[in-house]
Amino acid sequence: MLDFSRADCVTFVEQILALALAKNYEQMFATLQRIRYQNGEISFTTRNHYTHADWIPNNSWLLEDVTEEIGGPLCQDMTKTIDRPGFFRKLGVPDHELQNVSAPQTLTIKFIPTASLPKIKNKLQGGEIVSIIQKMPGIFSAHMGFIFRDEYGNVLFRHASSRKETYQVTDEFFDDVIEQLRNSEARVGMAFIRIKANEN
């Protein structure tokens, strides 16, 4: 439920959010579970597995999707079907544990395609959460991380990298991340999430 020695991209984002919001360990741990699980109810089927279908809407007390605000007319729509029961069955969850799992859901999100990302760079304040959008059916987000601005004004992407040459939390220039996306057939752009001004 908590491991500061290692993280994937999602658990890294969740842990940093919980640490930023908390004044002590107990508050951080409780906040982390609230972010990670629907209504803070800890179980495999109540975990916010899907970034855009679960994680963002179930954390509406804290987060908002600002992709359209940042991208405006540059945004494109992407529609997919999120099949939670099918996902859980593939992982061995028995049907009697799926009674409260919602039926397959068709969802449309906004994203900013890779070719348009240089045009929105100056609109990034720092602190945004990035969801890298990919084409594979059934899931929108391929990777997550944070936008930061350093003391020189550079826009950086901080993330828990799974690439063999890094395999750690690392900072990369936003322009370099765009170039990586240009060279990817599967990953097609980004969506952006911000912490609400008055989280409760």
Side-chain angles (χ1 to χ4, degrees), residues 5-16:
S5 68
R6 56 187 176 176
D8 62 18
C9 64
V10 177
T11 56
F12 170 67
V13 169
E14 290 174 336
Q15 289 176 179
I16 294 302

Side-chain angles (χ1 to χ4, degrees), residues 1 12 17 23 31-32 35 43 57 73 77 81-82 84 93-95 98 104 114 116 133 139 164 174 178 192 200:
M1 292 170 62
F12 170 67
L17 286 174
K23 296 178 180 177
T31 302
L32 177 61
I35 291 169
S43 77
D77 289 343
T81 298
I82 309 300
R84 295 177 187 85
V93 178
D95 283 349
L98 302 179
T114 301
S116 297
I133 305 301
I139 188 168
K164 290 181 180 179
F174 187 68
I178 293 173
F192 296 91
N200 37 49

Side-chain angles (χ1 to χ4, degrees), residues 5-186:
S5 68
R6 56 187 176 176
D8 62 18
C9 64
V10 177
T11 56
F12 170 67
V13 169
E14 290 174 336
Q15 289 176 179
I16 294 302
L17 286 174
L19 285 164
L21 292 167
K23 296 178 180 177
N24 54 54
Y25 178 88
E26 290 75 18
Q27 188 180 33
M28 179 277 298
F29 188 83
T31 302
L32 177 61
Q33 307 319 318
R34 186 180 180 190
I35 291 169
R36 184 167 288 163
Y37 299 96
Q38 185 176 1
N39 300 319
E41 181 186 335
I42 299 169
S43 77
F44 186 68
T45 56
T46 56
R47 186 162 180 167
N48 294 318
H49 291 282
Y50 293 94
T51 302
H52 293 269
D54 297 332
W55 197 78
I56 297 171
N58 290 339
N59 284 300
S60 60
W61 60 277
L62 175 65
L63 304 170
E64 59 183 338
D65 189 320
V66 292
T67 306
E68 193 166 12
E69 175 187 328
I70 292 172
L74 299 173
C75 291
Q76 293 183 9
D77 289 343
M78 180 179 284
T79 301
K80 294 186 180 182
T81 298
I82 309 300
D83 183 3
R84 295 177 187 85
F87 168 71
F88 291 132
R89 286 189 185 102
K90 284 180 182 177
L91 293 173
V93 178
D95 283 349
H96 71 269
E97 293 184 18
L98 302 179
Q99 294 173 356
N100 296 321
V101 174
S102 56
Q105 169 194 11
T106 299
L107 180 67
T108 300
I109 68 160
K110 300 281 186 186
F111 76 101
I112 302 169
T114 301
S116 297
L117 289 172
K119 299 175 185 176
I120 59 90
K121 179 179 172 181
N122 290 335
K123 293 186 178 182
L124 300 176
Q125 302 169 0
E128 290 90 355
I129 300 164
V130 176
S131 170
I132 293 181
I133 305 301
Q134 51 89 29
K135 296 191 295 187
M136 186 175 76
I139 188 168
F140 291 103
S141 186
H143 193 53
M144 296 179 76
F146 291 100
I147 292 294
F148 281 91
R149 285 184 174 270
D150 68 13
E151 62 268 36
Y152 306 107
N154 295 309
V155 179
L156 304 172
F157 178 58
R158 179 171 295 170
H159 63 119
S161 174
S162 60
R163 293 202 308 272
K164 290 181 180 179
E165 61 268 28
T166 49
Y167 210 62
Q168 62 183 7
V169 174
T170 187
D171 291 348
E172 297 185 64
F173 289 113
F174 187 68
D175 292 342
D176 291 343
V177 178
I178 293 173
E179 191 60 33
Q180 292 166 24
L181 293 179
R182 285 194 181 106
N183 294 323
S184 171
E185 292 185 5

